[in-house]
Amino acid sequence: MKAVPDLVEEIELTPDETDIDREYLKFVLSEWDAQALEEALLLKDASGAEVVAVGLASDPDIDQALYTALAKGADAAVKLSGGPEDATATGVRAALLAGYLAAEPADLVITGVQAADDIDGQLPPMLAAHLGQPHVSVVIAVEAADGGVLVRQEFAGGRTHQLRVTTPAVIGVQAARQAPRYAPITRIRQAMAAGGLREVTAEPAAASAAPVVRRMYRPEQTSHAQMLTGSADEVAEAIAGLLRDRGLVKG
Amino acid sequence: MSPMNVMVLAEHTGKQISEGTYELIGAARDLAAALGGQVEVALFGPRDLAAQLGAADRVLSVDHPALAEYLPQAYEVALTAVLAERSPRLLLMANGTPGLDLGAAVAVGWQAPLAAYVTGLAVDGGTVVATSAILGGKVLAELELPGERGVATVVGGAFGAEAGQADAVPEVTEVSPPAGLDQLAMSLAEVTEPQGGDVDITTADLLVSVGRGIESKDNVELVQDLGDALGVPLSASRPVVDAGWLPKTRQVGKSGLKVKPRAYLAFGISGAPEHLEGMRDADLIIACNTDPGAPIFDVAHYGTTVDLFDLVPALTDKLS
């Protein structure tokens, strides 16, 4: 699981403009990882899998995400350290997770198909390449099957393929079969009070080649919407006028 | 061996090369010209599709039963073999399912850096420089792909498709299928075409679309009232469909449908690149989002930061 900047927030850049400034940002669990956790829990509900939630100790507010996973039904939660301090790049994360999984193998790794800030590639294929395991991403359903799993992979326009995959394997989840379940705050507090996070230090695998960030910048607005201001009623009137002018509504 | 070539992975449905492939070939033509190399297209599956790849200098064809349909491991084995044989300077893949699925794995195996979510590509003094749109399009990163090889997964619509199409017959080089294709750890069990829609949002003149900002299923009804008043269907961005609040047939964007209505009203949609890909060609876009920095305002013609929960009822009232 990865904590990523909450995109509702204003994103600032570091003074040298080669990274985003994380100091004052609010972090949330990557939405695709929330979907991946849900799919893992559905797999547990259906076939009794043991679910271990894994987060990186270097991620801001990762404890909260891990305790929430426990409150939702994960059997264990691992807070992983051992890599470089700045572990935002997918390559760094994949190497550390590969080191951890070499020591503590899993039958199936389920993670989010992508994260909003993974500029050097997505975790599922990169991790699978380190582990030498088959992988499938953009998955919208995972079910246990003889000797492996049946996964549904989605393509543009809604076409899907069902694949039979031998485990161990790595799956990148686009969306779970149902919306992520809710964990009541009392259960999260109970999980925190019980303090069930297991701290593990892993030896990272050899890092892969990475791109070099020259600079980061905000997109230049080549065009921008003409903003309609005023009360809700005034803006509604302006929009109704635009639609009427084009003959899209009557009256 | 031509180490300054640019390779494109072709995507197809078995009969038709995808639009995204032509966009990549168009981009590859410019890059290859700057690098002094050629454009090679890796085509897996039916060899006759090479006839649709006239803008390539060379088509590298691998045909094998395991490649009849897209199968992640089969494509990865074939692509790895073709890369080893041809050693291009750069591999371009579309940021769709195959790009998200294979890009990073192939990059690790090929020991090449990868730039994801690429919206721009250039050659600067011999170095390949990619522009990557991250954090929902809020930040652009300029990335160097140093060394002798690199991979870029390119966002749909970033380049025009026209430059990637030509009425010519490309040279076709057959590459023998690697042995790994006979020892795969996965197989295709079933292909499902999208279910017929309850309504067809691609033919509507006017669409009312909702995004994450709607917050709950109950609130969708508020916007449904507006749709009903206008007599138009509701469409949505991915989070609303993933939450199960509207059916998949209403999803606009990369993994949904591409729409081009005369007017598109977007409520609570921030404008992630995947969504913009599906609606940016609408004649008129009016966006409502409380975040004045939302990327949707960069493509919208008109925008407002008035709360949708105030605006939608007012609009329904005026248009009923």
Side-chain angles (χ1 to χ4, degrees):
Chain A
M1 304 199 298
K2 184 177 192 182
V4 295
D6 188 344
L7 293 184
V8 173
E9 304 243 326
E10 192 70 18
I11 309 277
E12 299 288 339
L13 300 174
T14 54
D16 68 354
E17 297 185 338
T18 60
D19 203 353
I20 60 166
D21 188 345
R22 292 178 172 78
E23 192 169 350
Y24 301 110
L25 276 181
K26 183 183 168 217
F27 281 78
V28 292
L29 178 64
S30 170
E31 59 184 290
W32 292 282
D33 289 345
Q35 299 283 343
L37 173 64
E38 180 57 36
E39 197 60 29
L41 294 171
L42 288 173
L43 202 55
K44 174 184 170 175
D45 295 343
S47 46
E50 184 192 349
V51 174
V52 181
V54 183
L56 267 58
S58 52
D59 279 11
D61 299 330
I62 197 66
D63 288 18
Q64 174 79 17
L66 290 169
Y67 282 124
T68 303
L70 287 170
K72 285 182 174 186
D75 299 286
V78 167
K79 191 173 163 182
L80 189 61
S81 51
E85 204 167 299
D86 177 9
T88 52
T90 313
V92 172
R93 306 176 75 83
L96 182 60
L97 286 162
Y100 162 70
L101 286 161
E104 295 186 27
D107 294 316
L108 193 65
V109 175
I110 303 183
T111 185
V113 62
Q114 60 186 349
D117 60 351
D118 50 8
I119 50 177
D120 60 334
Q122 292 75 28
L123 179 67
M126 210 180 266
L127 177 58
H130 278 295
L131 296 170
Q133 291 179 3
H135 59 95
V136 184
S137 269
V138 201
V139 164
I140 54 169
V142 185
E143 290 166 84
D146 279 348
V149 285
L150 271 175
V151 302
R152 192 163 283 283
Q153 183 176 43
E154 190 184 56
F155 295 84
R159 191 180 208 236
T160 63
H161 285 179
Q162 192 175 53
L163 306 174
R164 195 175 290 279
V165 184
T166 308
T167 49
V170 181
I171 305 298
V173 168
Q174 170 77 52
R177 280 169 285 166
Q178 65 178 43
R181 63 195 68 188
Y182 175 73
I185 188 74
T186 47
R187 292 253 293 276
I188 300 173
R189 287 211 180 108
Q190 279 168 13
M192 283 177 163
L197 298 193
R198 191 158 69 86
E199 297 197 18
V200 175
T201 303
E203 183 66 37
S208 48
V212 178
V213 179
R214 265 194 186 176
R215 65 171 182 135
M216 287 192 188
Y217 57 102
R218 292 158 186 283
E220 251 178 63
Q221 292 174 341
T222 45
S223 67
H224 192 274
Q226 184 180 328
M227 298 307 280
L228 306 170
T229 54
S231 67
D233 200 58
E234 287 162 345
V235 172
E237 187 52 48
I239 293 174
L242 288 165
L243 297 178
R244 281 191 202 106
D245 290 350
R246 284 161 177 79
L248 289 161
V249 293
K250 298 187 189 79
Chain B
M1 294 296 141
S2 306
M4 295 313 258
N5 289 347
V6 180
M7 188 183 287
V8 169
L9 173 66
E11 286 181 26
H12 58 82
T13 57
K15 295 188 180 78
Q16 181 69 43
I17 296 290
S18 75
E19 177 95 353
T21 303
Y22 294 122
E23 294 172 7
L24 297 184
I25 296 173
R29 289 240 63 93
D30 284 346
L31 291 165
L35 290 164
Q38 291 187 315
V39 176
E40 300 190 319
V41 177
L43 172 65
F44 303 152
R47 192 159 290 151
D48 58 356
L49 289 174
Q52 297 176 30
L53 296 166
D57 294 309
R58 188 175 301 102
V59 173
L60 307 161
S61 162
V62 185
D63 204 350
H64 182 278
L67 297 165
E69 291 274 359
Y70 175 77
L71 183 66
Q73 197 181 12
Y75 259 59
E76 189 174 329
V77 166
L79 189 52
T80 301
V82 168
L83 287 169
E85 186 160 323
R86 305 299 302 180
S87 298
R89 170 65 184 85
L90 187 66
L91 168 68
L92 303 185
M93 302 172 78
N95 186 53
T97 297
L100 289 169
D101 202 9
L102 300 184
V106 167
V108 171
W110 192 36
Q111 297 177 315
L114 179 141
Y117 317 112
V118 169
T119 57
L121 283 161
V123 178
D124 180 10
T127 304
V128 176
V129 180
T131 304
S132 175
I134 55 166
L135 296 165
K138 284 192 161 187
V139 174
L140 295 177
E142 215 172 81
L143 305 171
E144 284 181 20
L145 294 172
E148 294 172 353
R149 49 185 70 167
V151 181
T153 53
V154 180
V155 173
F159 298 95
E162 220 161 86
Q165 290 163 313
D167 282 329
V169 180
E171 177 191 327
V172 179
T173 301
E174 291 180 27
V175 179
S176 41
L181 289 175
D182 298 314
Q183 304 142 23
L184 299 175
M186 62 179 69
S187 59
L188 181 63
E190 183 187 68
V191 175
T192 307
E193 298 296 340
Q195 76 251 38
D198 50 346
V199 291
D200 184 0
I201 60 168
T202 63
T203 57
D205 264 350
L206 174 61
L207 281 174
V208 173
S209 211
V210 287
R212 193 196 301 273
I214 197 69
E215 293 173 3
S216 77
K217 185 170 187 169
D218 290 346
N219 291 340
V220 173
E221 280 174 32
L222 188 75
V223 188
Q224 183 68 57
D225 290 344
L226 175 60
D228 291 346
L230 289 163
V232 302
L234 279 197
S235 54
S237 62
R238 171 127 217 170
V240 170
V241 173
D242 283 349
W245 301 340
L246 279 172
K248 182 82 189 165
T249 49
R250 310 296 187 91
Q251 188 184 322
V252 172
K254 190 182 78 181
S255 54
L257 294 160
K258 202 165 185 171
V259 297
K260 194 178 176 300
R262 287 176 58 209
Y264 187 87
L265 305 186
F267 294 101
I269 294 176
S270 64
E274 293 83 1
H275 184 73
L276 301 183
E277 202 176 313
M279 45 62 77
R280 65 186 322 148
D281 293 334
D283 295 343
L284 173 69
I285 299 168
I286 303 173
C288 167
N289 195 304
T290 49
D291 174 8
I296 189 84
F297 292 127
D298 298 339
V299 302
H301 303 92
Y302 294 90
T304 180
T305 54
V306 168
D307 196 314
L308 79 90
F309 296 107
D310 298 325
L311 179 62
V312 171
L315 195 54
T316 306
D317 205 35
K318 292 199 185 297
L319 297 169
S320 291

